[in-house]
Amino acid sequence: MKTSTASLLALATAVSALPAPSQKRACDAPVTLSGTENPFTKYTLHPNSFYRAEVEAAVEAITDASLKETAAKVADVGSFLWLDTIANIEKLKTELATEIPCENILGLVVYDLPGRDCAAKASNGELAVGEIDRYKTEYIDVIAGILKENPNQAFALIIEPDSLPNLVTNIDEQACQASATGYREGVAYALTELNLDNVIMYMDAGHGGWLGWDANIKPGAEELAAVYKDAGSPSQLRGISTNIAGWNSFDLSPGEFSDATDAPYNKAQNEKQYTTLFGAALQTAGMPNHAIVDTGRNGVTGLREEWGHWCNVNGAGFGARPTAETGSDLVDAFVWGKPGGESDGTSDESATRYDSFCGLSDAYKPSPEAGQWNQAYFEMLLKNAKPAF
Ligand code: BGC
């Protein structure tokens, strides 16, 4: 083929207009989010590269051709990235060096309070009770700095799963008593320092089977609202996250535990009811009350012997994919909070972080340490997914 100089020039111009493969496409304008608007109507939860890599490795390990094909689809599901240690803040930097579509919002879980997971063992963290200064300077300040350096990127933050709910219901436990001051101070600090234009925050509120009990709703809402006010009522706080790493159905009716003998004391039998009831109490207590709900692993119900069983529930399936179509004005979005396939806790009884909930008969065994990949569990979630992939 004869090529003229003019067409070569045209080709060169067209090629130079394309971004180099490794070049990150910059979103050209600063993001301005508002706590009075649902960010998920405008932005899609980003499928982060860490979960993508875990899923892609899982796909490699599957031999069944049709399962392999469906497994590959999970990599495209948006999910939250857990910043569960100071060292793992690196993950945020790595993620921001990849190309994130401008219409995507990056979901992050802020999860490193001193004395973390005070009522259980499986997710005990790296910071000891009292190490609040390290939490502030080595963890929150560093994350805040990175978010400020990326004003053109939208972020959705889940703030400290289980922490304040533990202070409401588990304060009789010595470890939670010891952690209480640090939890309140730490969460308030996070809310203040991360209150940035490109960020929307959701404070964790457990789930319907936890703070949804008649006796817990008001104290629960007041606990969260007090910390919100201590933080100076930050404008970017939109409300709460619920069912994070949880198993509750969003709208199963009657609810999964509605036949239990204690059911008359809990009207929050599903997360839709919970967000409505808890949301009303938040409003009374003077705190924004919108919600995001984790539907990552709630595809199958009727598996738990008791509502409070939280560890690697056997027989579980992936649930609804992230969407802003929730059918509830209070619920901004269904999200994947817990990356399905990562363990909730080890079933190894000799491990320091072994929690007896991970050894219950309705818990999947064997399971690795919290956060570690469990291939068999992932395949189970996939086979039981509802809706199917
Ligand atoms: C673990 C974290 C992990 C997260 C997501 C938590 O239970 O403690 O280390 O990042 O789950 O899998």
Side-chain angles (χ1 to χ4, degrees):
M1 191 178 69
K2 188 168 177 289
T3 315
S4 71
T5 316
S7 63
L8 266 182
L9 262 178
L11 185 68
T13 317
V15 168
S16 68
L18 294 171
S22 61
Q23 190 186 321
K24 183 176 148 58
R25 184 173 56 125
C27 302
D28 49 16
V31 170
T32 310
L33 302 173
S34 161
T36 60
E37 277 167 17
N38 177 2
F40 293 96
T41 53
K42 198 165 158 202
Y43 293 94
T44 302
L45 185 61
H46 184 57
N48 69 70
S49 60
F50 287 90
Y51 190 53
R52 181 180 294 283
E54 286 178 319
V55 171
E56 283 173 358
V59 171
E60 284 302 305
I62 295 172
T63 43
D64 179 90
S66 88
L67 192 65
K68 214 178 172 70
E69 202 181 312
T70 44
K73 297 181 186 165
V74 182
D76 292 328
V77 180
S79 67
F80 276 71
L81 179 62
W82 290 61
L83 305 178
D84 61 338
T85 59
I86 290 165
N88 276 338
I89 297 174
E90 255 339 283
K91 289 186 174 178
L92 171 56
K93 293 187 190 161
T94 304
E95 191 61 27
L96 288 168
T98 68
E99 188 182 304
I100 301 175
C102 297
E103 56 280 6
N104 282 13
I105 187 163
L106 183 57
L108 303 174
V109 181
V110 172
Y111 190 53
D112 202 25
L113 279 172
R116 193 179 71 194
D117 203 19
C118 65
K121 287 183 172 168
S123 285
N124 287 170
E126 63 183 348
L127 298 180
V129 168
E131 289 194 295
I132 189 70
D133 288 341
R134 291 193 62 202
Y135 179 74
K136 290 180 179 177
T137 60
E138 295 176 41
Y139 184 69
I140 295 297
D141 290 355
V142 179
I143 296 171
I146 297 170
L147 304 190
K148 281 181 201 160
E149 280 163 17
N150 291 274
N152 297 0
Q153 174 64 52
F155 296 95
L157 308 187
I158 292 171
I159 307 292
E160 296 291 356
D162 298 357
S163 58
L164 301 181
N166 267 324
L167 301 188
V168 179
T169 64
N170 293 317
I171 202 65
D172 51 331
E173 293 190 26
Q174 200 279 328
C176 291
Q177 273 167 35
S179 298
T181 309
Y183 279 15
R184 292 185 180 116
E185 190 178 336
V187 172
Y189 188 81
L191 293 175
T192 306
E193 298 304 315
L194 301 169
N195 191 44
L196 306 166
D197 285 349
N198 55 332
V199 173
I200 286 291
M201 300 181 283
Y202 298 90
M203 266 166 114
D204 194 60
H207 60 86
W210 189 350
L211 296 187
W213 298 94
D214 294 351
N216 295 344
I217 288 192
K218 190 165 180 279
E222 287 173 352
E223 173 71 47
L224 267 65
V227 175
Y228 162 74
K229 287 172 191 171
D230 277 350
S233 305
S235 60
Q236 309 305 95
L237 189 280
R238 172 87 180 144
I240 55 172
S241 56
T242 83
N243 208 38
I244 297 303
W247 314 93
N248 293 344
S249 161
F250 182 65
D251 58 6
L252 184 73
S253 185
E256 196 176 340
F257 292 96
S258 53
D259 284 342
T261 50
D262 51 12
Y265 309 104
N266 189 324
K267 296 176 194 68
Q269 291 286 327
N270 60 40
E271 292 302 288
K272 191 172 185 181
Q273 289 168 337
Y274 176 53
T275 48
T276 302
L277 293 164
F278 198 77
L282 283 174
Q283 190 170 36
T284 305
M287 188 184 122
N289 64 353
H290 288 87
I292 52 174
V293 177
D294 191 348
T295 57
R297 304 187 299 181
N298 71 352
V300 183
T301 52
L303 301 169
R304 288 169 293 172
E305 282 154 19
E306 285 182 35
W307 212 347
H309 292 190
W310 50 265
C311 194
N312 301 317
V313 171
N314 195 10
F318 286 124
R321 264 48 113 200
T323 176
E325 305 286 313
T326 67
S328 162
D329 288 343
L330 274 183
V331 181
D332 284 353
F334 299 151
V335 299
W336 279 25
K338 175 82 183 181
E342 292 185 7
S343 174
D344 297 311
T346 178
S347 58
D348 174 0
E349 293 179 26
S350 66
T352 313
R353 298 206 303 173
Y354 172 72
D355 190 293
S356 59
F357 276 85
C358 303
L360 292 172
S361 57
D362 53 10
Y364 188 96
K365 293 174 228 71
S367 286
E369 284 281 349
Q372 299 299 303
W373 192 255
N374 187 343
Q375 178 73 15
Y377 198 88
F378 169 79
E379 291 181 25
M380 179 189 75
L381 287 171
L382 183 62
K383 286 178 193 155
N384 296 339
K386 204 172 158 204
F389 272 89

